[in-house]
Every structure is written in structure tokens, then in C-alpha cells.
């Protein structure tokens, strides 16, 4: 996840500073701008298998990336032909997304938009909605936001959630021994989906991840991918 500056390249959709905005703005101000500019390997595998190209469903080629950070996922999706709305609460992060899109020649397909998702949400429906590591130390209605993400999926479209199921040594939560992660089935149940959805993935694979300093660790992710039926 992630103050509104006129030259950030991001469209402002939420006014007023919040605790969430302050935390993530401070976070990204101290992070190497190159960190998070590559797509998440888990998302790449899931999308390649289940939604290899834009189109189909009522959402067409539109994709929504929630908590886009430095835009690694958004830029990768745009390179496949998706028209991506990249959402974060940090203007610093969104400015870097805009710069990265321009450098890659993808500015016409990547649209950075600022939302504090506890307060506002992008309008419309999308053929693909993703949320990668949508965790925050700030109290927000997380389940409500993720249910809203599901509502934004167009008929025939796909929702992909990739979530932490363990702590990496470089996590901002490292050292918090009371951290507990839900099982993927619990995350899926919290979405309160009806029978019109088909579960494509719901598991917790392990992988080797690389941190911002180049360090590596074995981590576990919750991976949930669900497809909405062709008609409501």
C-alpha cells in the first residue's frame, strides 16, 4: 500500500492526510526507488496461467492494481496490454510509478491514482483486479476493502490476492511475535462470494524471496485467485 503533489504524475482522488497516508509516505520516502519495480513472481505465475492477456468478460482490457507501491506489477501488466489503474495512498510511490511508466513507454496504459482505500475506491469494473501484500500496521477495514475489490471484478474477470503468510527478515513487522496470518481458506471466506464465483487458486506456497538489500529468505504466501461468472 501506499500527499498530493502537482508534479507527481498521479491523479489525486482522496483529500486530507490520514494515519495510513502518513505511514506509507514516510515508508516510501526511505525506500530505494528501485525496490519493487519488478513484478511479483507469484502474481506473474498466476496471471500467466489464468489471464495471459487482456480481453474477455465485461471488464475488457482494464486492470486494477491495489496498493501498487513502486508499480512493478502495474508496469508488467501494462506490458502485456492491460490498461492499468494503479492505486496507492502514497504520492511518492505514485510519482515513481508514473516515472517508471514513462521511461518504459507505458504512460498511456498506466494510470496512477491516489486513494486511501479505507475512504474511497476507484469507480467502474475491471477484467483483472489484483492486490499484492495488502497489509498495513494502520487500522483499516481490510476485509471490507477486499470485498469491494471483488465487487469491482467484471463478469468473466479475475481477482488475484497475494498475501504474506509469514514474515521476511526485512518486513516492517519483523520482531512482532504476536503477528498471526489467516489461512488462505479464511481469506477466501472473508470475501463472502456467492455461487457465481469459481475458485482457481487457494493455497499457501513457499518460495525464496529477495529483500531490498539483496538478502534472501524462504517465505510463505497466501494465494487466492477467483473468477467471476460470465453473468451476474
Amino acid at each position: 500500500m501506499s500527499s498530493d503533489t502537482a508534479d507527481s504524475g498521479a491523479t489525486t482522488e482522496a483529500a486530507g492526510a490520514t494515519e495510513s497516508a502518513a505511514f506509507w509516505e514516510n515508508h516510501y520516502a526511505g525506500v530505494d526507488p528501485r525496490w519493487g519495480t519488478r513484478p511479483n513472481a507469484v502474481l506473474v505465475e498466476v496471471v500467466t496461467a489464468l489471464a495471459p492477456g487482456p480481453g474477455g468478460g465485461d471488464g475488457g482490457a482494464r486492470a486494477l492494481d491495489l496498493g501498487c507501491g513502486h508499480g512493478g506489477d502495474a508496469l508488467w501488466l501494462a506490458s502485456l496490454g492491460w490498461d492499468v489503474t494503479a492505486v496507492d495512498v502514497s504520492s511518492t510511490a505514485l510519482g515513481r510509478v508514473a516515472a517508471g511508466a514513462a521511461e518504459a513507454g507505458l504512460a498511456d496504459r498506466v494510470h496512477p491514482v491516489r486513494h486511501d482505500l479505507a475512504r474511497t475506491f476507484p469507480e467502474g469494473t475491471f477484467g483483472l483486479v489484483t492486490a499484492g501484500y495488502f497489509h498495513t500496521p494502520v487500522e483499516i477495514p481490510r476485509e471490507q476493502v477486499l470485498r469491494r475489490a471483488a465487487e469491482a471484478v467484471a463478469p468473466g474477470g479475475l481477482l488475484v490476492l497475494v498475501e504474506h503468510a509469514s514474515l521476511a527478515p526485512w518486513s516492517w513487522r519483523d520482531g512482532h511475535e504476536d503477528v498471526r496470518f489467516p489461512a488462505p481458506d479464511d481469506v477466501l471466506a472473508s470475501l463472502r462470494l456467492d455461487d457465481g464465483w469459481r475458485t482457481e487458486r487457494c493455497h499457501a506456497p513457499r518460495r525464496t524471496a529477495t529483500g531490498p538489500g539483496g538478502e534472501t529468505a524462504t517465505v510463505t504466501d497466501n494465494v487466492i485467485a477467483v473468477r467471476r461468472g460470465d453473468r451476474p
Side-chain angles (χ1 to χ4, degrees), residues 5 25-26 31 34 47 71 75-76 80 187 194-195 221 231:
T5 57
E25 190 64 23
N26 181 68
V31 172
R34 296 169 296 181
V47 170
L75 268 63
W76 177 73
L80 300 180
V187 177
D194 59 30
D195 293 340
D221 297 307
R231 291 291 176 265

Side-chain angles (χ1 to χ4, degrees), residues 8 34 50 81 88 100 136 195 227:
S8 70
R34 296 169 296 181
L50 301 178
D88 210 283
T136 175
D195 293 340
R227 190 180 304 279

Side-chain angles (χ1 to χ4, degrees), residues 150-230:
E151 292 172 3
V153 178
L158 189 71
L159 172 67
V160 180
L161 308 180
V162 181
E163 306 202 318
H164 294 300
S166 69
L167 285 180
W170 53 84
S171 171
W172 46 263
R173 294 193 290 188
D174 189 39
H176 294 241
E177 297 181 358
D178 59 342
V179 173
R180 297 290 183 271
F181 297 96
D185 285 339
D186 295 331
V187 177
L188 179 59
S190 73
L191 298 176
R192 300 179 184 174
L193 303 177
D194 59 30
D195 293 340
W197 292 78
R198 180 172 74 250
T199 301
E200 304 277 9
R201 302 283 177 86
C202 185
H203 61 153
R206 295 169 65 83
R207 65 183 177 94
T208 299
T210 303
E215 64 273 54
T216 61
T218 299
V219 299
T220 305
D221 297 307
N222 285 337
V223 180
I224 296 94
V226 287
R227 190 180 304 279
R228 192 167 208 157
D230 290 338

Side-chain angles (χ1 to χ4, degrees), residues 89-112:
V89 74
S90 166
S91 287
T92 293
L94 291 171
R96 292 169 180 171
V97 173
E103 183 178 354
L106 296 170
D108 60 333
R109 289 193 213 143
V110 178
H111 315 290

Side-chain angles (χ1 to χ4, degrees), residues 59-153:
R62 300 182 69 217
L64 176 63
D65 181 13
L66 300 174
C68 66
H70 283 164
D73 294 343
L75 268 63
W76 177 73
L77 290 170
S79 75
L80 300 180
W82 292 95
D83 188 77
V84 185
T85 298
V87 174
D88 210 283
V89 74
S90 166
S91 287
T92 293
L94 291 171
R96 292 169 180 171
V97 173
E103 183 178 354
L106 296 170
D108 60 333
R109 289 193 213 143
V110 178
H111 315 290
V113 183
R114 183 182 180 274
H115 281 276
D116 181 336
L117 290 168
R119 304 169 72 187
T120 62
F121 199 93
E123 296 182 356
T125 59
F126 303 82
L128 175 65
V129 178
T130 71
Y133 307 117
F134 190 70
H135 305 274
T136 175
V138 180
E139 186 67 29
I140 65 169
R142 198 181 93 95
E143 292 185 358
Q144 178 180 321
V145 173
L146 293 180
R147 286 195 289 271
R148 181 67 187 84
E151 292 172 3
V153 178

